[in-house]
Amino acid sequence: MPAFPQSTTTTHTAISVPPALSLPVIEREFPRQLHPYWPRLQEKTRAWLLEKRLMPPDKVEAYADGLCYTDLMAGYYIGAPDQVLQAIADYSAWFFVWDDRHDRDVIHGRPEAWRRLRRRLHTALDSPWDHLHHRDPLVAGFADSMVRLYSFLGEGWNVRFADDFHAVIEAYDQEFRNRTEGIVPTVDEYLELRRMTFAHWIWIDLLEPSAEYELPAAVRQNSAYRRASLLCQDFAAWYNDLCSLPKEIAGDEVHNLGISLIHHEGMRLEEAVKEVRRRVEECISEFLDVEKEVLRYADRIDSGSVRGAELADAVRACLFNMRNWFSSVYWFHHESGRYMVDSWDDRSTPPYVNNEAAGEK
């Protein structure tokens, strides 16, 4: 079925979802949303990638739009002010480029280059204004993203976001070591690491500037709100694993729920795929249940005061976009050239990556 049944945009029609990856409940219960700023968003993020030299011009021209990075964010952060969505989309594009650099550093055996980048990112996260003109485009682009993201809410949100991303950088370092040493994490180890490398809390943090409201700790730690947050991100991470399995097996990856199930649980490939799919479907059904709890919680917050009404509206806006994460992630995986492994000349080398990035030998 079309991703946007009512859309007049031909780039979002007649998408064929393979039966093994089809989730009728998503297509039925999670109508896809798209921020009206999306066409401009795509154009400006493409220009930003060029300006910051994060992708060579030929690769931006050939692949940037087809990778659909802006589609993913425009389908998630509905209601965000345009400048907030633009900052998030640019940061998301940077994140994908960083993920590719990390992958190439592993593939080409560049541990020193990775350690140098890791140190620089930690430093730039705490003082981005000092790194806007760094000689490594990946560091300079990251700094630019951080300066913009830090401008929307208060110091408390900024500190929380920085703490959460410091943890993501360290998780990427753990993944680098695992891949270099050929260590396949156990299922439990993988699930814990995956929440960090997928940056669960980062995407959840960004719900708040999108809603133009910094949520108090009591709301963020509410059991129903926290559970809904994790379910939308676990769904995304595990569905990504399901769709990425052929790509990651081809690339000798060790980080995929399916790979951990095969390696440590003795499952055959078909059994592992079935188990990952079961977990994905469980995320959906649990979210539909907990969503009702969060809405009841928002109603309790909305007790008649102006502040209560504003906070309740922010909670509802964040929950709405948690719901949107399901449909946005689902369609992204069937539109983005990032997962079209069968069309690549070399199934282990994405055509959009730059093998002449900093540190390449």
Side-chain angles (χ1 to χ4, degrees), residues 184-191 260 264:
V184 179
T186 66
V187 172
D188 287 345
E189 290 169 343
Y190 174 74
L191 294 178
S260 287
H264 290 286

Side-chain angles (χ1 to χ4, degrees), residues 95 172 193-200 203 233 236-237 240 325:
F95 200 112
Y172 263 71
L193 182 64
R194 184 61 162 148
R195 283 184 172 176
M196 303 310 302
T197 57
F198 195 82
H200 279 32
W203 309 117
Q233 296 301 308
N240 175 268
W325 199 226

Side-chain angles (χ1 to χ4, degrees), residues 33 42 92 105 115 157 172 215 292 294 302 325 329 335 343:
Q33 311 288 329
Q42 185 182 55
S92 171
D105 281 348
R115 284 193 288 268
W157 186 91
Y172 263 71
L215 296 177
K292 299 182 182 71
V294 179
D302 195 355
W325 199 226
V329 163
E335 294 170 351
S343 67

Side-chain angles (χ1 to χ4, degrees), residues 63 336-347 349 351-352:
Y63 300 110
S336 174
R338 192 173 181 88
Y339 304 100
M340 296 180 182
V341 183
D342 290 339
S343 67
W344 301 352
D345 292 336
D346 176 354
R347 288 170 62 88
T349 304
Y352 49 83

Side-chain angles (χ1 to χ4, degrees), residues 236 239-241 243-244 328-336 339:
Y239 192 68
N240 175 268
D241 280 2
C243 295
S244 298
S328 191
V329 163
Y330 179 72
W331 292 113
F332 169 69
H333 280 85
H334 304 297
E335 294 170 351
S336 174
Y339 304 100

Side-chain angles (χ1 to χ4, degrees), residues 44-329:
K44 293 191 73 172
T45 294
R46 189 192 317 122
W48 186 79
L49 287 168
L50 283 170
E51 176 193 344
K52 298 302 176 184
R53 297 179 294 119
L54 288 167
M55 291 177 69
D58 61 327
K59 293 191 183 294
V60 171
E61 177 68 25
Y63 300 110
D65 289 354
L67 290 169
C68 300
Y69 297 158
T70 55
D71 302 48
L72 179 63
M73 295 299 110
Y76 185 19
Y77 296 103
I78 305 299
D82 292 353
Q83 70 272 23
V84 172
L85 183 61
Q86 187 66 64
I88 293 172
D90 291 350
Y91 166 72
S92 171
W94 172 88
F95 200 112
F96 280 111
V97 175
W98 175 51
D99 185 74
D100 292 333
R101 169 83 71 86
H102 176 268
D103 179 68
R104 295 298 98 184
D105 281 348
V106 173
I107 295 295
H108 293 287
R110 304 190 307 227
E112 187 51 47
W114 163 249
R115 284 193 288 268
R116 184 167 57 246
L117 177 60
R118 171 185 163 226
R119 290 193 299 268
R120 288 171 175 172
L121 292 180
H122 275 306
T123 304
L125 185 56
D126 291 330
S127 56
W129 299 268
D130 298 332
H131 293 78
L132 291 172
H133 305 290
H134 196 280
R135 64 181 179 274
D136 184 341
L138 202 65
V139 177
F142 178 64
D144 179 78
S145 292
M146 291 305 100
V147 167
R148 293 155 69 195
L149 292 176
Y150 287 162
S151 71
F152 298 125
L153 294 177
E155 184 62 21
W157 186 91
N158 294 350
V159 169
R160 172 162 38 102
F161 185 93
D163 286 346
D164 288 340
F165 200 75
H166 279 303
V168 171
I169 296 169
E170 287 307 291
Y172 263 71
D173 186 55
Q174 178 64 54
E175 182 174 304
F176 187 96
R177 284 180 276 124
N178 285 352
R179 290 182 65 186
T180 300
E181 298 170 19
I183 298 171
V184 179
T186 66
V187 172
D188 287 345
E189 290 169 343
Y190 174 74
L191 294 178
E192 181 179 353
L193 182 64
R194 184 61 162 148
R195 283 184 172 176
M196 303 310 302
T197 57
F198 195 82
H200 279 32
W201 295 113
I202 292 300
W203 309 117
I204 294 166
D205 288 339
L206 289 168
L207 291 168
E208 295 171 52
S210 298
E212 300 182 88
Y213 200 102
E214 186 173 339
L215 296 177
V219 171
R220 290 184 282 107
Q221 294 167 7
N222 173 268
S223 59
Y225 184 88
R226 184 180 175 88
R227 183 63 181 150
S229 302
L230 285 174
L231 284 166
C232 78
Q233 296 301 308
D234 281 345
F235 164 82
W238 299 345
Y239 192 68
N240 175 268
D241 280 2
L242 192 63
C243 295
S244 298
L245 193 54
K247 166 178 172 278
E248 293 178 346
I249 288 176
D252 292 325
E253 250 284 11
V254 296
H255 293 95
N256 185 293
L257 179 54
I259 292 172
S260 287
L261 288 165
I262 291 167
H263 190 84
H264 290 286
E265 305 293 329
M267 291 188 182
R268 298 190 306 274
L269 176 60
E270 297 79 6
E271 293 173 324
V273 168
K274 185 176 180 180
E275 173 60 15
V276 175
R277 184 183 174 96
R278 184 193 67 78
R279 290 176 184 240
V280 165
E281 291 173 338
E282 193 173 72
C283 285
I284 301 169
S285 60
E286 287 189 27
F287 180 84
L288 290 171
D289 288 337
V290 78
E291 180 182 39
K292 299 182 182 71
E293 292 184 45
V294 179
L295 288 172
R296 288 193 292 268
Y297 175 60
D299 289 343
R300 292 196 298 274
I301 292 172
D302 195 355
S303 56
S305 68
V306 172
R307 184 181 181 282
E310 291 175 346
L311 178 55
D313 284 346
V315 170
R316 294 183 188 110
C318 291
L319 178 66
F320 175 68
N321 282 332
M322 291 177 202
R323 161 177 273 273
N324 287 332
W325 199 226
F326 288 85
S327 57
S328 191
V329 163

